[in-house]
Amino acid sequence: MPERNEIESCDHHSDHEFREEFSTRLLKEGSPTLVKRPRLQSYPKRDSSHLRAIYGELDGLPAKVRHYVEENARLCKPDTIHICDGSERENELITYMLQKDNILRRLPKYDNCWLARTDPADVARVERLTYITTELQRDTMPTPKYGAKSQLGNWMAPEDMDNELNMRFPDCMKGRTMFVIPFSMGPVGSPLSKIGIQLTDSAYVVASMRVMTRMGQNVLQSLGEKDFVKALHSVGKPLPLTSPLHNNWPCNPKNTIIAHMPEKNEICSYGSGYGGNSLLGKKCFALRIGSILARNERWFAEHMLILGIENLDTGVKKYVAAAFPSACGKTNLAMMKPTLPNYKVTCVGDDIAWMRFDSQGRLRAINPEAGFFGVAPGTSYKTNPHAMDTIKKNTIFTNVAETSDGGYFWEGLEDEMEPGVKIRSWLGDEDWKKEESDRPAAHPNSRFCTPASQCPIMDPAWEDPEGVPIDAIIFGGRRPEGVPLVYESFNWQHGVFLGAAMRSESTAAAEHKAKQIMNDPFAMRPFFGYNFGDYLSHWLSFGKQSEELQLPKIFHVNWFRKDSNGKFLWPGFGENCRVLDWVLQRCNGEDVFVDTPIGRLPKYDSLNLQGLDKPVDLDALFHLPREFWENEVNAVYKYFDEQVNEDLPKEIMAELKALEARVGAL
Ligand code: OXD
Ligand code: MN
């Protein structure tokens, strides 16, 4: 077992004391863990104003950014300010600080890989504490019927939100450093990209944002006259501490709040250091605020992966965007290693797509992110070899288990372990053994945070500022029963209905109990920035331009159907290319479908099953049980009626009625 920590903890130090000590110590003896030593002659640097920037210069910021920083520095009262430049030297400094604070430790088996273990109370997105604030509640969400609780967002009135924020943010960064992170969602300078400024008192967030976004000086240079999204984040633990930390992970779960103020282009997040709660470029900006910008500017901000798929025989290459609820295998699909020898898949993104019709009427997509924040459990050489190769270096792991040879472990890697190594669970159980433990080695929502550029199958156009052309949109979910492997919508409007009616088994990405079937329209349920009814109207509105626009075809897939013994009917993973092959046949206009009451299913024999390891039961995979579909129709009626209520567009209700009538014929 390698030394766990060469550096003693300094929980009770202020950042400022630490920095002084850091400089002195580095100057004297150098860092035991850094390869290159930061050049210290320019560090620390002082700014002339009363607010001190210890790194970077407040004077160098564009006036509107400086104003935002100063306003919040006066509110949160950090000891010092650090303006991130995105440099290598800065990253070394941040990583060193994180080691010093016992938040990160090296996984020496790999190159520049790190492990963070959080407070066990801060392990996932907290949907119930995530709010959107608008003057009118109806702008944020439909009013549910019969006093039901809305599943389509949490709204808070501006005055109430002001109170909530005023109870939390004043003085919340005392003793800490406020980092200023200029970041771009999308390639810097792309017409499809947008800029944000995140202020945070978490160095872990800085290290992660560096992977997940394009951050630093060049972003500020490209800001010009453009607007930016304001994103304030605090872990809510000023120094000195008044109670001990768990795992040295500062957070404040009792007072956590994730607030979006779209009318001010602003996000404020307090109390959590984890993932979607704290890396504000991701769910908060790229999806919630993004979906509002998209509606206003007539584009789409969606919870979708983007992949390229090329038929090597014909040379035809298409791009596909696909929406699946959290933790349904989006990353696996985005990086798929196809089993059909004549196919090549390339990855553009694994979680979020920003898409806009260009002047030729083609839908063009960019991945606004620069990294993958993937769910670790279930990832292995068997399920996702490309992800495994991606995460071998420069990766931050959170809440995975460690091995005695300095590596990581999580559920799914059992067959890929070196013999004889011991496991230390994410909760610190030494010599953890599956047979002896009633809790998993890694947290089910444990993650890797890794640069997209390291993925061996990144598409050559993944950073193309124009985006890639999208030919098909795929919706999917985890449906153990009744829903066939793949079907196509009859047309755009029916496709929008398929997105609206999406349901899936819940997962560990948020605080829900797993294994209940939940409605998750467009896989956006936790991420809508505005009223879902209006969102549907936005999607439908493009259907009215079908003359000028090349509308992509829309499909629904389900890799997760089970037989009566609870076994998956479809092998999934690399074999899913067979489904993509059928999707491409349809995009080429081939006559390989039959109309059924729910949509267009593959014609017998059109799904390429050649070379499958084990035969699959096609009848079971495509069977449409009448009772199941009647129940499905009823469940969707109930959901639309209770949750979307008066805001449901009539076209969507018409689609549901038409489905009901067709299902009667099953
Ligand atoms: C994610 C999620 O982290 O959807 O991507 O929860
Ligand atoms: Mn996601």
Side-chain angles (χ1 to χ4, degrees), residues 244-297:
L245 299 179
H246 294 273
N247 287 340
N248 306 307
W249 180 265
C251 61
N252 189 340
K254 284 208 190 81
N255 293 307
T256 293
I257 194 162
I258 324 289
H260 304 71
M261 278 74 64
E263 285 152 0
K264 295 199 263 179
N265 230 4
E266 193 165 348
I267 303 157
C268 293
S269 163
Y270 181 95
S272 166
Y274 202 79
N277 302 329
S278 68
L279 312 181
L280 301 185
K282 194 174 180 62
K283 305 299 184 182
C284 297
F285 178 173
L287 289 177
R288 297 195 192 95
I289 298 287
S291 60
I292 298 172
L293 299 173
R295 188 250 334 248
N296 297 344
E297 299 166 9

Side-chain angles (χ1 to χ4, degrees), residues 282-283 287 303 324 326-327 330 350-352 447 527:
K282 194 174 180 62
K283 305 299 184 182
L287 289 177
H303 192 202
F324 296 80
S326 306
K330 280 218 300 297
D350 80 326
D351 196 39
I352 300 176
R447 301 280 179 146
F527 310 122

Side-chain angles (χ1 to χ4, degrees), residues 497 633 636-637 640 651-661:
F497 166 76
V633 164
V636 176
Y637 259 121
F640 284 169
E651 294 88 337
I652 298 295
M653 185 46 95
E655 287 294 339
L656 179 57
K657 290 213 159 105
L659 174 67
E660 182 180 33

Side-chain angles (χ1 to χ4, degrees), residues 3-20:
E3 263 305 302
R4 284 198 186 284
N5 244 301
E6 307 95 296
I7 308 164
E8 84 275 3
S9 159
C10 73
D11 282 346
H12 300 272
H13 282 198
S14 74
D15 278 357
H16 178 61
E17 280 170 74
F18 162 62
R19 281 165 182 276
E20 299 289 340

